Amino acid sequence: LKMHQKQAIAGCVLAAAASCIARTTASSLASTFLLAPRPSDPNGRPAHRPLAPRLLSRRARAREPQVMHMSTKSNKNGDEGSLFHSINAVTLVTHDMVASCAFYSKLGLHITYGGPEAAFTTFSAHEPVRQDNNVLHVNLFQSAKYIPPADGKWNQWGRCIFFVGDVDALHSTLLEKGVVAPEPQDAAWGERYFHLVDPNGHQLSFATPIYDHPRWHN
């Protein structure tokens, strides 16, 4: 055979050999990544099998976008679709922790953290606080930079509203303890309430719902 014919035959042989090697290698990789038995974790559950980089890339491109949905199962109070139970606490600034502690003690709340000499104090509706009564807290933090309005005026920042069992009884108790508060009145929105201002100008509202009012029957 002529030289160029020998070279052509040798090239064909090399190409066939390379093709065979490539097919063998691909088959081996497929067996390793796709057909090998899954290892188990210490609890006996199948562990995730590693994927070849090219296969992983293809699957990642084909995967549909994942959307996280928040649960809408009912909470312990039976409210469908709500993750919220209630506001558990309000946190208010005070310029004078001693005066603030004296005031909130007169309201009938209990110190469950801190105290008159502390920089941070928590008043709670119940003492001791447990899982079944962890419902209402007022936190106070002391700041020398905060200056309350003069003459016991409202600082205009907002209002905290507390529902109580008998707003008239609370009002009478506060008067006996020397706390000045206006007479309770019936509101157009279905509550009997009165407002007062704490020693640092925070406005507090105490209310008892009037449940035969149309507001509560919509």
Side-chain angles (χ1 to χ4, degrees):
L1 296 175
K2 296 181 179 180
M3 183 61 65
H4 70 274
Q5 291 176 325
K6 291 181 179 181
Q7 291 175 344
I9 293 172
C12 291
V13 171
L14 290 174
S19 176
C20 180
I21 292 172
R23 287 196 298 270
T24 303
T25 302
S27 176
S28 176
L29 287 173
S31 298
T32 300
F33 290 107
L34 301 178
L35 302 178
R38 294 187 181 186
S40 297
D41 65 13
N43 296 321
R45 296 171 296 192
H48 291 290
R49 182 169 50 233
L51 295 176
R54 182 173 296 180
L55 291 173
L56 180 62
S57 177
R58 289 175 180 174
R59 292 192 179 187
R61 288 195 298 267
R63 186 178 298 136
E64 291 293 332
Q66 298 295 314
V67 179
M68 182 177 291
H69 297 282
M70 300 181 75
S71 172
T72 56
K73 294 181 179 178
S74 6
N75 58 30
K76 292 183 179 179
N77 296 329
D79 300 324
E80 291 290 342
S82 177
L83 297 176
F84 298 93
H85 294 177
S86 65
I87 294 177
N88 180 259
V90 293
T91 299
L92 306 174
V93 63
T94 176
H95 183 77
D96 185 342
M97 184 66 77
V98 174
S100 292
C101 284
F103 174 82
Y104 282 93
S105 294
K106 291 179 180 179
L107 296 183
L109 299 175
H110 309 280
I111 295 177
T112 55
Y113 183 86
E117 305 302 322
F120 187 94
T121 298
T122 297
F123 279 86
S124 305
H126 303 281
E127 183 188 25
V129 177
R130 301 185 302 270
Q131 182 177 358
D132 61 343
N133 66 12
N134 186 7
V135 293
L136 186 152
H137 310 277
V138 176
N139 298 320
L140 304 172
F141 71 96
Q142 186 162 333
S143 173
K145 296 180 179 180
Y146 175 73
I147 306 300
D151 302 325
K153 294 181 180 179
W154 180 26
N155 60 13
Q156 302 291 316
W157 73 269
R159 177 184 301 133
C160 297
I161 301 173
F162 302 89
F163 273 10
V164 298
D166 188 335
V167 70
D168 291 283
L170 174 62
H171 182 266
S172 298
T173 299
L174 294 180
L175 291 182
E176 293 172 1
K177 294 181 178 180
V179 178
V180 178
E183 289 290 329
Q185 57 182 306
D186 293 344
W189 53 86
E191 296 172 2
R192 183 165 175 79
Y193 76 100
F194 68 90
H195 297 332
L196 55 81
V197 177
D198 83 350
N200 287 277
H202 305 303
Q203 190 176 72
L204 311 178
S205 178
F206 301 92
T208 298
I210 304 173
Y211 283 116
D212 58 358
H213 187 277
R215 171 191 176 185
W216 307 107
H217 298 281
N218 290 335

